[in-house]
C-alpha cells in the first residue's frame, strides 16, 4: 500500500479511509475473502431515487451497516444488493410537476406513453445523491448490480406471484368502499392509509331528519363529521336495543348549554329523537323527555329526504327509512347514524342488506355531480365553501340543529397529502384475511427489536387485517396480469409469465416492455367453448407496495432463473427500517411470502423510530 501522509483533521481522516476503500474496492474484497463461508442474508428496502435522501436515512442506514459489518467480521459472507423503487405515485407526481400538469385528465391528454416515458426517465434523478450519501457515511451496498422494480424481469416475477395467489383462490374483484384519493384518482390500501393520518379540526353537524306520519311531527337527530356525504343520505341507522328518548324543546333559545355555532336550532315545542344516553350532552335547549322506547320501534319509520333527487329512489321502499343496524353506538353523536351507502363501509354493508340504491353523488374528481341540488354541482367536497353551502341549504329548510368544530384524526394521501374520501369503487383485492392466522403465527416467529413493535404495532395491525386493495387506477406501475373476456368476465386469465402471454397472443416484441399502454393493446380470442369474446387486460396497475414486498424473489428473477441464489438468501436473516414500515414494507414482505406458502421472508428486524423536522413533522 502506498505511503499516505498523516491527515490534519477528522474530516481528512474520514475522506482518506473512504478513498482507500474506493481504490482498493474493499467491499468486493470483503466478499471475496468470505467466499465459501455461510451467507448472512440482508435485504435492502428500496428507496425511491426520484426523491432526495435526508438526514433520517443516515440513521436507518447506519443501523443496517453495523449489523452487516459485525456479521462479516464474525466470519459470514454478507452480500448487500442495492435496490430501487421505481414505480407508483411518487414517480408519477414528480413527472406531473416536471410537465406542469396535474391529475389524470391532464395525463391522458398528454398521452400515457409519453407520460410513462417521462416517468422512466425521471426515476433515477437523484441516484447520484443516494450513492454519495451511502459512500459518505460508509454504507456498503452493491450498486453495480441493483434490482430495479420497473425492470421487465422484476415485473415478470411479480406476475408469477400474482398467478400463484390466483391459484390459491385469494385474488378477486369486488365493489367495495375504499379510501380514495380524488387528486391521484385511485384507491389506496389499508397499509398506505395508515401512513397518512393527521389531526384536523373540521365542522361536524347535528342534522334534523323530519319524520313523516309521526304523531309528534318529530325530527330524528343525527350527527356526522363528513357533511359532504349528506346529499347521498338514503337511510338512518339505529341500534334496536338502545333506548331512544323523545324530547320536547322548551323555549326557542339555548339555556344553560354552550351556544351552537352559527344559524340553526330548534323551535319551542319541537320534538327531537336521539339516544337517551346522549340527550344531556347534545340537546342545547331546555327540554322535557316525553317518551322513551327501544330503537326497534323506530325501525321502518319514513322521513323526508335532505336533498331531493340527489339520488333516484323511485320504486325503492327501503330508501329514506330508519333501519336497525349492529354498528350503532351511543358513545358519541346521537346514537343515530346517517347512512350514505356509497361513502362508508358500514353504510355500504347495510345498504346492500336493505337493497338501497347504489348511486354516487360525487365524481372521481371529488366534486358533486350535476344532479345534486343546492348549487353544489361541481364543487369539491372538501372545500370550505362546500361545507358552508351545505349548511346554508340545511338552515334554509330548518334541518340543522347546530354545528361544532370537531378535532379528529383523518386519513390523507401519504404522497400528495389530499384528504381521502371513503367511496365505493370497483377494485381488485387479495384476500389476506384468509391467511390472518398464518400471518400472526409467522409474525410471532420473527425476532423483533424492539419486541413491542412486533407484538404491538405489527401484531395489532395483523389482528385487524383487512383484504389488500391491490389495484391502482394509474399509469406507471406493474400492470396487473389479468385478462377478462369481453362477453363474460367470469372467463379470466391471470398470467404468470411472459411466455404464457406469448402462448396466447403470439410472439412479443423484442425487447419486451410490459408497461402501459403497449400491454393494454395485447388481446386474444376467449378459449372457453362457445364463447366469441376477446380477452382484454384490465386497465389497472398494482399497488407499488406489491413490488416492494415481492423483492425477495423478484430481485433474482425467481422462479425463472437464479433459483439457487434465491434459496440461499431466503428468508433474509436481517432487515431494518423505520417504524412507519411496519404497515408498509414489513407488512407487504410478510403478506406475500405467507400467501405463497413460504413462511416469513425475514427472521430478524431492527426498527428505528422516526426523526422529526423543525416543525415536528416526520421526515
Amino acid at each position: 500500500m502506498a505511503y499516505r501522509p498523516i491527515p490534519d483533521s477528522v474530516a481528512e481522516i474520514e475522506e482518506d479511509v473512504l478513498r482507500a476503500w474506493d481504490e482498493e474496492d474493499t467491499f468486493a474484497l470483503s466478499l471475496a475473502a468470505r467466499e465459501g463461508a455461510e451467507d448472512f442474508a440482508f435485504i435492502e428496502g428500496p428507496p425511491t431515487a426520484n426523491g432526495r435522501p435526508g438526514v433520517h436515512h443516515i440513521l436507518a442506514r447506519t443501523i443496517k451497516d453495523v449489523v452487516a459489518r459485525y456479521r462479516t467480521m464474525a466470519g459470514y459472507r454478507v452480500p448487500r444488493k442495492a435496490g430501487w423503487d421505481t414505480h407508483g405515485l411518487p414517480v408519477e407526481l414528480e413527472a406531473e410537476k416536471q410537465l406542469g400538469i396535474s391529475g389524470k385528465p391532464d395525463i391522458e391528454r398528454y398521452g400515457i406513453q409519453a407520460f410513462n416515458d417521462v416517468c422512466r426517465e425521471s426515476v433515477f434523478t437523484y441516484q447520484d445523491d443516494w450513492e454519495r450519501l451511502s459512500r459518505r457515511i460508509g454504507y456498503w451496498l452493491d450498486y453495480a448490480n441493483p434490482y430495479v422494480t420497473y425492470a421487465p424481469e422484476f415485473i415478470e416475477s411479480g406476475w408469477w406471484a400474482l398467478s400463484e395467489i390466483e391459484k390459491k383462490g385469494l385474488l378477486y374483484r369486488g365493489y367495495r368502499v375504499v379510501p380514495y384519493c380524488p387528486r391521484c384518482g385511485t384507491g389506496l390500501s389499508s397499509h398506505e392509509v395508515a401512513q397518512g393520518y393527521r389531526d384536523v379540526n373540521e365542522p361536524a353537524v347535528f342534522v334534523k331528519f323530519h319524520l313523516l306520519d309521526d304523531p309528534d311531527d318529530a325530527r330524528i337527530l343525527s350527527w356526522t363529521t363528513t357533511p359532504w356525504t349528506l346529499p347521498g343520505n338514503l337511510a338512518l341507522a339505529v341500534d334496536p336495543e338502545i333506548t331512544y328518548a323523545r324530547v320536547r324543546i322548551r323555549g326557542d333559545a339555548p339555556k344553560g348549554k354552550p351556544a351552537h355555532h352559527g344559524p340553526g336550532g330548534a323551535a319551542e315545542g319541537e320534538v327531537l329523537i336521539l339516544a337517551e344516553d346522549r340527550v344531556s350532552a347534545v340537546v342545547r335547549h331546555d327540554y322535557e323527555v316525553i317518551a322513551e322506547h327501544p330503537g326497534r320501534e323506530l325501525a321502518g319509520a319514513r322521513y323526508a329526504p335532505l336533498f331531493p333527487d340527489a339520488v333516484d329512489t323511485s320504486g325503492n321502499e327501503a330508501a329514506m327509512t330508519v333501519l336497525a343496524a349492529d354498528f350503532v353506538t351511543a358513545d358519541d353523536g346521537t346514537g343515530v347514524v346517517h347512512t350514505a351507502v356509497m361513502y362508508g363501509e358500514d353504510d355500504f354493508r347495510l345498504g346492500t342488506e336493505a337493497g338501497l340504491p347504489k348511486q354516487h353523488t360525487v365524481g372521481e374528481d371529488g366534486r358533486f355531480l350535476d344532479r345534486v341540488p343546492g348549487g353544489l354541482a361541481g364543487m369539491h367536497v372538501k372545500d370550505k365553501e362546500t361545507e358552508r353551502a351545505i349548511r346554508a341549504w340545511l338552515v334554509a329548510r330548518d334541518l340543522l340543529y347546530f354545528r361544532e368544530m370537531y378535532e379528529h384524526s383523518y386519513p390523507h394521501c401519504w404522497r400528495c397529502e389530499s384528504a381521502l374520501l371513503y367511496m365505493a369503487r370497483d377494485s381488485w383485492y387479495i384476500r389476506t384475511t384468509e391467511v390472518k392466522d398464518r400471518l400472526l403465527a409467522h409474525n410471532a416467529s420473527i425476532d423483533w427489536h424492539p419486541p413491542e413493535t412486533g407484538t404491538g404495532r405489527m401484531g395489532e395491525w395483523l389482528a385487524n387485517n383487512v383484504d389488500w386493495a391491490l389495484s391502482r387506477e394509474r399509469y406507471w406501475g406493474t400492470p396487473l396480469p389479468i385478462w377478462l373476456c369481453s362477453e363474460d368476465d367470469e372467463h379470466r386469465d391471470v398470467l404468470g409469465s411472459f411466455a404464457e402471454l406469448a402462448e396466447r397472443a403470439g410472439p412479443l416484441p423484442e425487447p419486451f416492455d410490459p408497461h402501459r399502454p403497449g400491454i393494454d393493446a395485447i388481446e386474444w380470442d376467449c378459449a372457453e367453448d362457445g364463447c366469441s369474446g376477446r380477452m382484454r387486460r384490465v386497465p389497472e396497475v398494482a399497488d407499488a407496495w406489491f413490488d416492494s414486498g415481492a423483492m425477495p424473489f423478484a430481485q433474482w428473477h425467481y422462479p425463472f432463473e437464479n433459483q439457487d441464489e434465491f434459496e440461499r438468501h431466503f428468508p433474509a436473516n436481517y432487515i431494518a427500517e423505520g417504524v412507519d414500515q411496519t404497515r408498509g414494507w414489513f407488512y407487504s414482505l410478510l403478506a406475500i411470502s405467507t400467501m405463497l406458502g413460504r413462511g416469513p421472508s425475514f427472521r430478524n428486524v431492527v426498527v428505528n423510530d422516526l426523526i422529526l423536522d423543525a416543525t415536528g413533522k416526520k421526515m
Side-chain angles (χ1 to χ4, degrees), residues 159-170 494 496 595-596:
W159 279 21
W160 167 79
L162 279 172
S163 72
E164 293 297 303
I165 290 169
E166 160 78 354
K167 290 172 187 174
K168 296 176 186 294
L170 300 177
V494 180
M595 288 184 290
L596 294 179

Side-chain angles (χ1 to χ4, degrees), residues 378-406:
M379 298 185 74
H380 195 282
V381 299
K382 296 299 286 186
D383 286 348
K384 291 182 179 179
E385 293 77 10
T386 302
E387 189 272 332
R388 285 194 284 267
I390 291 172
R391 187 165 17 116
W393 172 276
L394 297 175
V395 168
R397 287 153 183 81
D398 189 26
L399 299 171
L400 181 68
Y401 184 45
F402 69 92
R403 164 190 179 269
E404 64 182 0
M405 298 305 292
Y406 178 68

Side-chain angles (χ1 to χ4, degrees), residues 246-260:
R246 287 178 177 250
V247 299
R248 190 185 304 279
I249 301 300
R250 295 194 298 197
D252 60 1
K255 293 180 180 178
K257 303 283 183 181
H260 61 274

Side-chain angles (χ1 to χ4, degrees), residues 351-375:
T352 300
E353 293 170 356
L356 292 170
K358 292 180 178 177
Q359 300 169 24
H360 277 293
T361 52
V362 179
E364 293 183 357
D365 58 358
R367 298 180 182 278
F368 283 112
L369 301 177
D370 289 345
R371 66 171 178 271
V372 178

Side-chain angles (χ1 to χ4, degrees), residues 307-468:
F307 290 81
D309 302 321
V311 176
D312 182 5
T313 61
S314 56
N316 191 290
E317 293 300 317
M320 307 304 167
T321 64
V322 179
L323 302 175
D326 59 6
F327 56 83
V328 181
T329 74
D331 297 336
D332 53 21
T334 68
V336 180
V337 176
H338 134 69
T339 300
V341 175
M342 305 301 277
Y343 306 112
E345 292 184 43
D346 289 330
D347 306 55
F348 190 81
R349 177 169 59 86
L350 181 62
T352 300
E353 293 170 356
L356 292 170
K358 292 180 178 177
Q359 300 169 24
H360 277 293
T361 52
V362 179
E364 293 183 357
D365 58 358
R367 298 180 182 278
F368 283 112
L369 301 177
D370 289 345
R371 66 171 178 271
V372 178
L376 294 173
M379 298 185 74
H380 195 282
V381 299
K382 296 299 286 186
D383 286 348
K384 291 182 179 179
E385 293 77 10
T386 302
E387 189 272 332
R388 285 194 284 267
I390 291 172
R391 187 165 17 116
W393 172 276
L394 297 175
V395 168
R397 287 153 183 81
D398 189 26
L399 299 171
L400 181 68
Y401 184 45
F402 69 92
R403 164 190 179 269
E404 64 182 0
M405 298 305 292
Y406 178 68
E407 187 171 344
H408 61 134
S409 183
Y410 192 86
H412 289 68
C413 180
W414 68 296
R415 286 303 185 187
C416 76
E417 300 186 350
S418 297
L420 300 180
L421 309 178
Y422 281 84
M423 298 179 67
R425 306 285 299 172
D426 194 17
S427 301
W428 287 90
Y429 295 87
I430 298 176
R431 193 175 282 108
T432 50
T433 50
E434 191 163 310
V435 297
K436 183 172 78 171
D437 290 345
R438 277 186 282 157
L439 287 170
L440 287 164
H442 293 158
N443 181 62
S445 74
I446 295 168
D447 190 12
W448 284 87
H449 300 274
E452 58 267 23
T453 302
T455 56
R457 185 179 174 93
M458 185 69 165
E460 291 169 7
W461 168 257
L462 294 175
N464 295 288
N465 182 258
V466 297
D467 287 347
W468 186 341

